[in-house]
């Protein structure tokens, strides 16, 4: 079943190496006795070898790269807004019964629109990340509120209930664990704004492009096929 069809060639069979991601409801536990299945917009793309578990809402044109873990089996629910991208190796998880209020709803993790969570970052709830935020490589955001347009540099940590004001820049390797440190941050430099904008532009194209690459028909075993 997994081999090439007789007479096919590599170019016409390039979909055969596509695997489905692992998308499932949360397991029933004493913490979460009700199973809830992820709600993923049809225009979003969740890449192969990634996991989306539990009460997770993923809005339109979101790109979830390979080897991402979005696991709402303890803290819940999660929300990922339109045109955001969650890059390779990112982990999203949350603490049980710890939420941040957004409007009238509580969220373990809330990620706004046009947000980039770059390679290897950890976002751990309770956490709120506003629109147009850039969370860079191998950074950690945990128990924090990050304002619109902020830029969190690589290897930085934002934690301990701090609120990063809108448009502020967290330097590489910084440990922002007090409100005094957060309030003292400078504004995002021009080159960092340009970098974040370019990353967002590139990733904005990925959902539709990957859907086209892997095809519309994918069997339960995880392999795509043409029909």
């Amino acid at each position: 079943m997994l081999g090439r069809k007789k007479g096919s060639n590599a170019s016409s069979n390039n979909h055969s190496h596509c695997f489905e991601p692992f998308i499932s409801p949360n397991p029933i536990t004493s913490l979460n006795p009700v199973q809830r299945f992820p709600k993923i917009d049809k225009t979003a793309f969740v890449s192969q070898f990634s996991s989306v578990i539990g009460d997770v809402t993923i809005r339109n044109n979101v790109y979830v790269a390979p080897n991402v873990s979005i696991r709402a089996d303890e803290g819940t629910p999660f929300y990922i807004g339109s045109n955001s991208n969650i890059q390779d190796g990112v982990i999203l998880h949350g603490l049980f019964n710890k939420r941040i209020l957004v409007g009238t709803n509580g969220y373990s993790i809330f990620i706004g629109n046009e947000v980039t969570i770059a390679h290897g970052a950890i976002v751990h709830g309770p956490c709120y990340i506003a629109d147009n935020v850039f969370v860079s490589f191998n950074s950690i955001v945990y128990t924090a509120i990050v304002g619109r347009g902020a830029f969190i540099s690589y290897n930085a940590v934002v934690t301990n209930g701090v609120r990063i004001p809108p448009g502020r820049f967290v330097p590489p390797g910084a440990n922002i664990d007090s409100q005094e440190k957060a309030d003292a941050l400078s504004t995002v430099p021009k080159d960092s704004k340009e970098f974040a904008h370019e990353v967002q532009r590139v990733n904005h194209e990925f959902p539709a492009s990957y859907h086209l690459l892997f095809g519309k028909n994918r069997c339960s075993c995880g392999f795509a096929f043409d029909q």
Side-chain angles (χ1 to χ4, degrees), residues 60-117:
N60 58 293
N61 206 53
V62 169
Y63 174 61
V64 179
N67 300 311
V68 169
S69 175
I70 302 175
R71 186 162 59 88
D73 56 2
E74 182 183 344
T76 184
F78 296 175
Y79 177 93
I80 302 172
S82 302
N83 298 309
S84 291
N85 64 91
I86 313 297
Q87 297 182 10
D88 312 65
V90 167
I91 296 172
L92 272 61
H93 194 246
L95 294 177
F96 171 68
N97 211 26
K98 301 287 186 180
R99 294 179 176 177
I100 289 177
L101 195 64
V102 183
T104 59
N105 299 316
Y107 293 90
S108 176
I109 294 176
F110 186 97
I111 296 172
N113 303 323
E114 299 189 0
V115 171
T116 291
I117 311 294

Tab-separated table of all heavy atoms in Angstrom, residues 60-117:
chain	number	residue	atom	x	y	z
A	60	ASN	N	-7.806	31.303	10.820
A	60	ASN	CA	-7.499	31.209	9.396
A	60	ASN	C	-6.047	31.564	9.073
A	60	ASN	O	-5.448	32.446	9.679
A	60	ASN	CB	-8.434	32.098	8.582
A	60	ASN	CG	-8.369	33.563	8.984
A	60	ASN	OD1	-8.766	33.923	10.094
A	60	ASN	ND2	-7.877	34.403	8.090
A	61	ASN	N	-5.522	30.828	8.122
A	61	ASN	CA	-4.191	31.041	7.553
A	61	ASN	C	-3.064	30.973	8.588
A	61	ASN	O	-2.020	31.604	8.436
A	61	ASN	CB	-4.119	32.378	6.799
A	61	ASN	CG	-3.047	32.352	5.719
A	61	ASN	OD1	-3.020	31.455	4.877
A	61	ASN	ND2	-2.139	33.319	5.735
A	62	VAL	N	-3.254	30.184	9.616
A	62	VAL	CA	-2.174	29.915	10.575
A	62	VAL	C	-1.275	28.830	10.000
A	62	VAL	O	-1.754	27.858	9.409
A	62	VAL	CB	-2.748	29.484	11.935
A	62	VAL	CG1	-1.656	28.933	12.851
A	62	VAL	CG2	-3.457	30.648	12.605
A	63	TYR	N	0.029	28.984	10.197
A	63	TYR	CA	0.987	27.953	9.783
A	63	TYR	C	1.623	27.342	11.021
A	63	TYR	O	2.212	28.045	11.860
A	63	TYR	CB	2.080	28.550	8.896
A	63	TYR	CG	3.185	27.562	8.567
A	63	TYR	CD1	2.909	26.392	7.877
A	63	TYR	CD2	4.497	27.808	8.953
A	63	TYR	CE1	3.904	25.477	7.585
A	63	TYR	CE2	5.512	26.902	8.661
A	63	TYR	CZ	5.211	25.740	7.981
A	63	TYR	OH	6.199	24.843	7.699
A	64	VAL	N	1.487	26.021	11.159
A	64	VAL	CA	2.124	25.258	12.236
A	64	VAL	C	3.170	24.358	11.591
A	64	VAL	O	2.842	23.438	10.838
A	64	VAL	CB	1.101	24.429	13.026
A	64	VAL	CG1	1.793	23.625	14.120
A	64	VAL	CG2	0.034	25.341	13.638
A	65	ALA	N	4.439	24.619	11.853
A	65	ALA	CA	5.553	23.929	11.218
A	65	ALA	C	5.738	22.517	11.788
A	65	ALA	O	5.068	22.130	12.756
A	65	ALA	CB	6.828	24.753	11.401
A	66	PRO	N	6.670	21.727	11.219
A	66	PRO	CA	6.921	20.385	11.744
A	66	PRO	C	7.437	20.399	13.176
A	66	PRO	O	8.076	21.343	13.624
A	66	PRO	CB	7.989	19.838	10.782
A	66	PRO	CG	7.821	20.620	9.525
A	66	PRO	CD	7.412	21.989	9.967
A	67	ASN	N	7.131	19.317	13.881
A	67	ASN	CA	7.657	19.050	15.225
A	67	ASN	C	7.230	20.095	16.250
A	67	ASN	O	7.984	20.430	17.166
A	67	ASN	CB	9.185	18.928	15.187
A	67	ASN	CG	9.645	17.810	14.283
A	67	ASN	OD1	9.153	16.689	14.365
A	67	ASN	ND2	10.565	18.112	13.379
A	68	VAL	N	6.010	20.586	16.115
A	68	VAL	CA	5.418	21.499	17.093
A	68	VAL	C	4.505	20.690	18.015
A	68	VAL	O	3.789	19.788	17.578
A	68	VAL	CB	4.612	22.599	16.380
A	68	VAL	CG1	3.772	23.396	17.375
A	68	VAL	CG2	5.547	23.531	15.617
A	69	SER	N	4.512	21.036	19.300
A	69	SER	CA	3.617	20.415	20.269
A	69	SER	C	2.695	21.480	20.844
A	69	SER	O	3.140	22.396	21.535
A	69	SER	CB	4.422	19.758	21.398
A	69	SER	OG	3.550	19.256	22.400
A	70	ILE	N	1.401	21.360	20.527
A	70	ILE	CA	0.368	22.252	21.061
A	70	ILE	C	-0.542	21.366	21.903
A	70	ILE	O	-1.419	20.678	21.394
A	70	ILE	CB	-0.403	22.950	19.931
A	70	ILE	CG1	0.561	23.734	19.041
A	70	ILE	CG2	-1.477	23.868	20.492
A	70	ILE	CD1	-0.082	24.357	17.815
A	71	ARG	N	-0.319	21.367	23.222
A	71	ARG	CA	-0.885	20.314	24.074
A	71	ARG	C	-1.745	20.907	25.188
A	71	ARG	O	-1.263	21.227	26.263
A	71	ARG	CB	0.280	19.479	24.633
A	71	ARG	CG	-0.156	18.264	25.423
A	71	ARG	CD	0.978	17.263	25.559
A	71	ARG	NE	2.161	17.781	26.210
A	71	ARG	CZ	2.363	17.762	27.528
A	71	ARG	NH1	1.447	17.263	28.335
A	71	ARG	NH2	3.488	18.224	28.037
A	72	ALA	N	-3.045	20.993	24.911
A	72	ALA	CA	-3.997	21.513	25.889
A	72	ALA	C	-4.644	20.365	26.651
A	72	ALA	O	-5.859	20.162	26.615
A	72	ALA	CB	-5.051	22.359	25.193
A	73	ASP	N	-3.814	19.598	27.344
A	73	ASP	CA	-4.317	18.480	28.130
A	73	ASP	C	-4.293	18.773	29.625
A	73	ASP	O	-4.832	18.023	30.426
A	73	ASP	CB	-3.521	17.206	27.841
A	73	ASP	CG	-2.026	17.375	28.081
A	73	ASP	OD1	-1.593	18.473	28.500
A	73	ASP	OD2	-1.274	16.413	27.833
A	74	GLU	N	-3.667	19.892	30.012
A	74	GLU	CA	-3.656	20.319	31.410
A	74	GLU	C	-4.272	21.716	31.457
A	74	GLU	O	-5.460	21.881	31.652
A	74	GLU	CB	-2.232	20.321	31.975
A	74	GLU	CG	-2.180	20.707	33.442
A	74	GLU	CD	-0.757	20.767	33.977
A	74	GLU	OE1	0.174	20.237	33.350
A	74	GLU	OE2	-0.584	21.380	35.052
A	75	GLY	N	-3.465	22.757	31.230
A	75	GLY	CA	-4.024	24.082	31.063
A	75	GLY	C	-4.811	24.158	29.774
A	75	GLY	O	-4.418	23.602	28.746
A	76	THR	N	-5.935	24.865	29.775
A	76	THR	CA	-6.838	24.914	28.625
A	76	THR	C	-7.824	26.054	28.820
A	76	THR	O	-8.093	26.428	29.969
A	76	THR	CB	-7.573	23.552	28.477
A	76	THR	OG1	-8.382	23.546	27.325
A	76	THR	CG2	-8.431	23.252	29.690
A	77	PRO	N	-8.353	26.662	27.745
A	77	PRO	CA	-8.107	26.402	26.329
A	77	PRO	C	-6.964	27.240	25.776
A	77	PRO	O	-6.461	28.144	26.450
A	77	PRO	CB	-9.431	26.825	25.683
A	77	PRO	CG	-9.891	27.962	26.541
A	77	PRO	CD	-9.481	27.602	27.946
A	78	PHE	N	-6.582	26.921	24.518
A	78	PHE	CA	-5.594	27.707	23.775
A	78	PHE	C	-6.295	28.385	22.592
A	78	PHE	O	-7.266	27.858	22.049
A	78	PHE	CB	-4.482	26.820	23.186
A	78	PHE	CG	-3.620	26.106	24.182
A	78	PHE	CD1	-2.656	25.207	23.732
A	78	PHE	CD2	-3.735	26.289	25.547
A	78	PHE	CE1	-1.844	24.532	24.615
A	78	PHE	CE2	-2.932	25.610	26.454
A	78	PHE	CZ	-1.977	24.723	25.977
A	79	TYR	N	-5.743	29.524	22.184
A	79	TYR	CA	-6.260	30.238	21.017
A	79	TYR	C	-5.086	30.777	20.224
A	79	TYR	O	-4.181	31.397	20.791
A	79	TYR	CB	-7.164	31.393	21.454
A	79	TYR	CG	-7.702	32.244	20.317
A	79	TYR	CD1	-8.931	31.973	19.744
A	79	TYR	CD2	-6.969	33.326	19.820
A	79	TYR	CE1	-9.439	32.752	18.706
A	79	TYR	CE2	-7.455	34.104	18.778
A	79	TYR	CZ	-8.692	33.818	18.234
A	79	TYR	OH	-9.176	34.588	17.206
A	80	ILE	N	-5.099	30.544	18.895
A	80	ILE	CA	-4.068	31.067	17.994
A	80	ILE	C	-4.770	31.854	16.897
A	80	ILE	O	-5.551	31.303	16.125
A	80	ILE	CB	-3.204	29.939	17.403
A	80	ILE	CG1	-2.548	29.132	18.519
A	80	ILE	CG2	-2.146	30.510	16.459
A	80	ILE	CD1	-1.825	27.886	18.043
A	81	GLY	N	-4.480	33.152	16.807
A	81	GLY	CA	-5.192	34.042	15.916
A	81	GLY	C	-4.745	33.979	14.468
A	81	GLY	O	-3.732	33.353	14.117
A	82	SER	N	-5.473	34.668	13.624
A	82	SER	CA	-5.287	34.641	12.173
A	82	SER	C	-3.882	35.055	11.751
A	82	SER	O	-3.285	35.964	12.336
A	82	SER	CB	-6.285	35.582	11.510
A	82	SER	OG	-7.609	35.226	11.823
A	83	ASN	N	-3.378	34.360	10.734
A	83	ASN	CA	-2.104	34.697	10.085
A	83	ASN	C	-0.881	34.586	10.996
A	83	ASN	O	0.185	35.120	10.678
A	83	ASN	CB	-2.167	36.110	9.488
A	83	ASN	CG	-3.226	36.246	8.426
A	83	ASN	OD1	-3.291	35.448	7.494
A	83	ASN	ND2	-4.092	37.243	8.567
A	84	SER	N	-1.022	33.888	12.098
A	84	SER	CA	0.134	33.657	12.964
A	84	SER	C	0.905	32.436	12.487
A	84	SER	O	0.372	31.592	11.760
A	84	SER	CB	-0.308	33.473	14.421
A	84	SER	OG	-0.797	34.690	14.939
A	85	ASN	N	2.169	32.334	12.886
A	85	ASN	CA	2.963	31.159	12.528
A	85	ASN	C	3.692	30.626	13.748
A	85	ASN	O	4.238	31.377	14.547
A	85	ASN	CB	3.922	31.464	11.377
A	85	ASN	CG	4.968	32.497	11.698
A	85	ASN	OD1	6.072	32.176	12.154
A	85	ASN	ND2	4.648	33.779	11.483
A	86	ILE	N	3.632	29.307	13.880
A	86	ILE	CA	4.231	28.587	15.004
A	86	ILE	C	5.307	27.701	14.399
A	86	ILE	O	5.013	26.711	13.728
A	86	ILE	CB	3.183	27.743	15.757
A	86	ILE	CG1	1.903	28.555	16.037
A	86	ILE	CG2	3.782	27.182	17.032
A	86	ILE	CD1	2.104	29.753	16.927
A	87	GLN	N	6.569	28.042	14.625
A	87	GLN	CA	7.651	27.431	13.862
A	87	GLN	C	8.196	26.155	14.505
A	87	GLN	O	7.809	25.764	15.603
A	87	GLN	CB	8.756	28.464	13.644
A	87	GLN	CG	8.292	29.652	12.809
A	87	GLN	CD	9.392	30.655	12.554
A	87	GLN	OE1	10.565	30.414	12.840
A	87	GLN	NE2	9.026	31.807	12.008
A	88	ASP	N	9.137	25.537	13.818
A	88	ASP	CA	9.647	24.207	14.151
A	88	ASP	C	10.092	24.100	15.610
A	88	ASP	O	10.852	24.924	16.112
A	88	ASP	CB	10.837	23.871	13.254
A	88	ASP	CG	10.563	24.161	11.795
A	88	ASP	OD1	10.376	25.350	11.459
A	88	ASP	OD2	10.550	23.225	10.998
A	89	GLY	N	9.624	23.041	16.267
A	89	GLY	CA	10.083	22.739	17.605
A	89	GLY	C	9.466	23.554	18.712
A	89	GLY	O	9.867	23.418	19.883
A	90	VAL	N	8.480	24.383	18.415
A	90	VAL	CA	7.822	25.192	19.449
A	90	VAL	C	6.963	24.302	20.339
A	90	VAL	O	6.349	23.337	19.883
A	90	VAL	CB	6.962	26.298	18.802
A	90	VAL	CG1	6.023	26.945	19.810
A	90	VAL	CG2	7.857	27.355	18.175
A	91	ILE	N	6.908	24.640	21.633
A	91	ILE	CA	6.065	23.934	22.593
A	91	ILE	C	5.076	24.922	23.200
A	91	ILE	O	5.470	25.983	23.692
A	91	ILE	CB	6.897	23.290	23.714
A	91	ILE	CG1	7.817	22.207	23.152
A	91	ILE	CG2	5.989	22.699	24.798
A	91	ILE	CD1	8.813	21.666	24.164
A	92	LEU	N	3.780	24.563	23.160
A	92	LEU	CA	2.732	25.304	23.842
A	92	LEU	C	2.089	24.383	24.866
A	92	LEU	O	1.568	23.309	24.515
A	92	LEU	CB	1.666	25.797	22.857
A	92	LEU	CG	1.877	27.149	22.174
A	92	LEU	CD1	3.139	27.162	21.331
A	92	LEU	CD2	0.661	27.493	21.310
A	93	HIS	N	2.131	24.788	26.127
A	93	HIS	CA	1.529	24.004	27.211
A	93	HIS	C	1.126	24.975	28.302
A	93	HIS	O	1.577	26.131	28.310
A	93	HIS	CB	2.515	22.953	27.750
A	93	HIS	CG	1.865	21.909	28.604
A	93	HIS	ND1	2.119	21.779	29.950
A	93	HIS	CD2	0.963	20.949	28.280
A	93	HIS	CE1	1.397	20.769	30.427
A	93	HIS	NE2	0.695	20.245	29.429
A	94	GLY	N	0.257	24.548	29.214
A	94	GLY	CA	-0.207	25.448	30.264
A	94	GLY	C	-0.463	24.747	31.572
A	94	GLY	O	-0.706	23.537	31.613
A	95	LEU	N	-0.441	25.529	32.656
A	95	LEU	CA	-0.732	25.017	33.990
A	95	LEU	C	-2.235	24.863	34.198
A	95	LEU	O	-3.028	25.697	33.738
A	95	LEU	CB	-0.177	25.952	35.066
A	95	LEU	CG	1.337	26.081	35.155
A	95	LEU	CD1	1.698	27.110	36.221
A	95	LEU	CD2	1.978	24.744	35.478
A	96	PHE	N	-2.614	23.842	34.910
A	96	PHE	CA	-4.014	23.585	35.196
A	96	PHE	C	-4.642	24.735	35.973
A	96	PHE	O	-4.071	25.243	36.942
A	96	PHE	CB	-4.162	22.281	35.985
A	96	PHE	CG	-5.549	22.053	36.518
A	96	PHE	CD1	-6.600	21.795	35.633
A	96	PHE	CD2	-5.809	22.094	37.868
A	96	PHE	CE1	-7.886	21.585	36.113
A	96	PHE	CE2	-7.091	21.881	38.363
A	96	PHE	CZ	-8.135	21.629	37.480
A	97	ASN	N	-5.827	25.146	35.510
A	97	ASN	CA	-6.667	26.103	36.221
A	97	ASN	C	-6.027	27.471	36.409
A	97	ASN	O	-6.373	28.218	37.322
A	97	ASN	CB	-7.093	25.533	37.583
A	97	ASN	CG	-8.458	26.047	38.005
A	97	ASN	OD1	-9.266	26.407	37.157
A	97	ASN	ND2	-8.696	26.085	39.292
A	98	LYS	N	-5.063	27.809	35.549
A	98	LYS	CA	-4.448	29.135	35.557
A	98	LYS	C	-4.758	29.786	34.219
A	98	LYS	O	-4.282	29.324	33.177
A	98	LYS	CB	-2.933	29.048	35.758
A	98	LYS	CG	-2.502	28.355	37.046
A	98	LYS	CD	-2.760	29.244	38.247
A	98	LYS	CE	-2.185	28.589	39.514
A	98	LYS	NZ	-2.410	29.436	40.705
A	99	ARG	N	-5.549	30.861	34.234
A	99	ARG	CA	-6.004	31.466	32.985
A	99	ARG	C	-5.850	32.977	33.016
A	99	ARG	O	-5.777	33.592	34.085
A	99	ARG	CB	-7.476	31.116	32.726
A	99	ARG	CG	-7.719	29.641	32.458
A	99	ARG	CD	-9.186	29.360	32.228
A	99	ARG	NE	-9.416	27.950	31.883
A	99	ARG	CZ	-10.603	27.424	31.694
A	99	ARG	NH1	-11.691	28.183	31.805
A	99	ARG	NH2	-10.736	26.149	31.383
A	100	ILE	N	-5.821	33.541	31.820
A	100	ILE	CA	-5.813	34.990	31.638
A	100	ILE	C	-7.111	35.370	30.950
A	100	ILE	O	-7.511	34.754	29.948
A	100	ILE	CB	-4.586	35.432	30.815
A	100	ILE	CG1	-3.320	35.267	31.663
A	100	ILE	CG2	-4.726	36.872	30.337
A	100	ILE	CD1	-2.041	35.608	30.950
A	101	LEU	N	-7.789	36.376	31.477
A	101	LEU	CA	-9.075	36.792	30.948
A	101	LEU	C	-8.878	37.648	29.703
A	101	LEU	O	-8.140	38.639	29.717
A	101	LEU	CB	-9.852	37.573	32.005
A	101	LEU	CG	-11.352	37.780	31.745
A	101	LEU	CD1	-12.079	36.437	31.746
A	101	LEU	CD2	-11.944	38.708	32.804
A	102	VAL	N	-9.531	37.257	28.610
A	102	VAL	CA	-9.536	38.015	27.358
A	102	VAL	C	-11.001	38.274	27.022
A	102	VAL	O	-11.725	37.354	26.633
A	102	VAL	CB	-8.842	37.259	26.216
A	102	VAL	CG1	-8.816	38.115	24.949
A	102	VAL	CG2	-7.419	36.869	26.616
A	103	GLY	N	-11.445	39.511	27.187
A	103	GLY	CA	-12.866	39.790	27.086
A	103	GLY	C	-13.589	39.120	28.237
A	103	GLY	O	-13.268	39.350	29.401
A	104	THR	N	-14.527	38.260	27.901
A	104	THR	CA	-15.260	37.532	28.942
A	104	THR	C	-14.806	36.086	29.070
A	104	THR	O	-15.372	35.331	29.857
A	104	THR	CB	-16.771	37.556	28.640
A	104	THR	OG1	-17.008	36.958	27.353
A	104	THR	CG2	-17.299	38.982	28.639
A	105	ASN	N	-13.790	35.713	28.298
A	105	ASN	CA	-13.329	34.327	28.288
A	105	ASN	C	-11.943	34.191	28.896
A	105	ASN	O	-11.083	35.063	28.720
A	105	ASN	CB	-13.313	33.790	26.851
A	105	ASN	CG	-14.678	33.797	26.201
A	105	ASN	OD1	-15.668	33.411	26.827
A	105	ASN	ND2	-14.759	34.239	24.961
A	106	GLY	N	-11.726	33.079	29.578
A	106	GLY	CA	-10.416	32.785	30.140
A	106	GLY	C	-9.643	31.831	29.246
A	106	GLY	O	-10.214	30.883	28.685
A	107	TYR	N	-8.343	32.084	29.106
A	107	TYR	CA	-7.482	31.245	28.270
A	107	TYR	C	-6.218	30.872	29.022
A	107	TYR	O	-5.634	31.702	29.736
A	107	TYR	CB	-7.087	31.979	26.983
A	107	TYR	CG	-8.229	32.234	26.042
A	107	TYR	CD1	-8.975	33.409	26.139
A	107	TYR	CD2	-8.571	31.310	25.060
A	107	TYR	CE1	-10.036	33.647	25.279
A	107	TYR	CE2	-9.638	31.541	24.199
A	107	TYR	CZ	-10.363	32.711	24.318
A	107	TYR	OH	-11.413	32.950	23.469
A	108	SER	N	-5.779	29.639	28.826
A	108	SER	CA	-4.457	29.253	29.308
A	108	SER	C	-3.389	29.926	28.464
A	108	SER	O	-2.428	30.485	28.986
A	108	SER	CB	-4.308	27.729	29.250
A	108	SER	OG	-2.999	27.340	29.617
A	109	ILE	N	-3.553	29.859	27.134
A	109	ILE	CA	-2.659	30.552	26.192
A	109	ILE	C	-3.529	31.259	25.159
A	109	ILE	O	-4.389	30.629	24.531
A	109	ILE	CB	-1.701	29.578	25.490
A	109	ILE	CG1	-0.720	28.963	26.487
A	109	ILE	CG2	-0.939	30.294	24.369
A	109	ILE	CD1	0.192	27.906	25.883
A	110	PHE	N	-3.290	32.548	24.989
A	110	PHE	CA	-3.953	33.318	23.941
A	110	PHE	C	-2.874	33.970	23.102
A	110	PHE	O	-2.065	34.747	23.605
A	110	PHE	CB	-4.866	34.391	24.533
A	110	PHE	CG	-5.681	35.124	23.491
A	110	PHE	CD1	-6.987	34.758	23.224
A	110	PHE	CD2	-5.127	36.184	22.770
A	110	PHE	CE1	-7.740	35.426	22.263
A	110	PHE	CE2	-5.867	36.853	21.807
A	110	PHE	CZ	-7.181	36.484	21.557
A	111	ILE	N	-2.860	33.644	21.809
A	111	ILE	CA	-1.916	34.211	20.850
A	111	ILE	C	-2.726	34.971	19.811
A	111	ILE	O	-3.627	34.411	19.192
A	111	ILE	CB	-1.063	33.110	20.198
A	111	ILE	CG1	-0.191	32.426	21.257
A	111	ILE	CG2	-0.203	33.676	19.074
A	111	ILE	CD1	0.552	31.200	20.753
A	112	GLY	N	-2.410	36.239	19.610
A	112	GLY	CA	-3.196	37.097	18.732
A	112	GLY	C	-2.928	36.873	17.259
A	112	GLY	O	-2.393	35.836	16.839
A	113	ASN	N	-3.265	37.873	16.470
A	113	ASN	CA	-3.123	37.810	15.012
A	113	ASN	C	-1.717	38.230	14.575
A	113	ASN	O	-1.095	39.099	15.194
A	113	ASN	CB	-4.132	38.730	14.338
A	113	ASN	CG	-5.564	38.410	14.713
A	113	ASN	OD1	-5.936	37.243	14.865
A	113	ASN	ND2	-6.380	39.439	14.867
A	114	GLU	N	-1.231	37.599	13.504
A	114	GLU	CA	0.055	37.949	12.892
A	114	GLU	C	1.206	37.917	13.902
A	114	GLU	O	2.079	38.779	13.925
A	114	GLU	CB	-0.045	39.310	12.200
A	114	GLU	CG	-1.080	39.303	11.086
A	114	GLU	CD	-1.061	40.553	10.229
A	114	GLU	OE1	-0.244	41.448	10.492
A	114	GLU	OE2	-1.870	40.625	9.285
A	115	VAL	N	1.193	36.875	14.706
A	115	VAL	CA	2.252	36.627	15.691
A	115	VAL	C	3.210	35.586	15.128
A	115	VAL	O	2.784	34.618	14.492
A	115	VAL	CB	1.652	36.134	17.016
A	115	VAL	CG1	2.745	35.664	17.976
A	115	VAL	CG2	0.805	37.228	17.661
A	116	THR	N	4.493	35.772	15.378
A	116	THR	CA	5.503	34.765	15.057
A	116	THR	C	6.051	34.184	16.346
A	116	THR	O	6.533	34.918	17.212
A	116	THR	CB	6.657	35.372	14.244
A	116	THR	OG1	6.202	35.730	12.938
A	116	THR	CG2	7.814	34.374	14.099
A	117	ILE	N	5.968	32.858	16.468
A	117	ILE	CA	6.648	32.126	17.546
A	117	ILE	C	7.746	31.320	16.853
A	117	ILE	O	7.473	30.324	16.189
A	117	ILE	CB	5.694	31.194	18.323
A	117	ILE	CG1	4.404	31.936	18.734
A	117	ILE	CG2	6.413	30.617	19.535
A	117	ILE	CD1	4.604	33.042	19.734
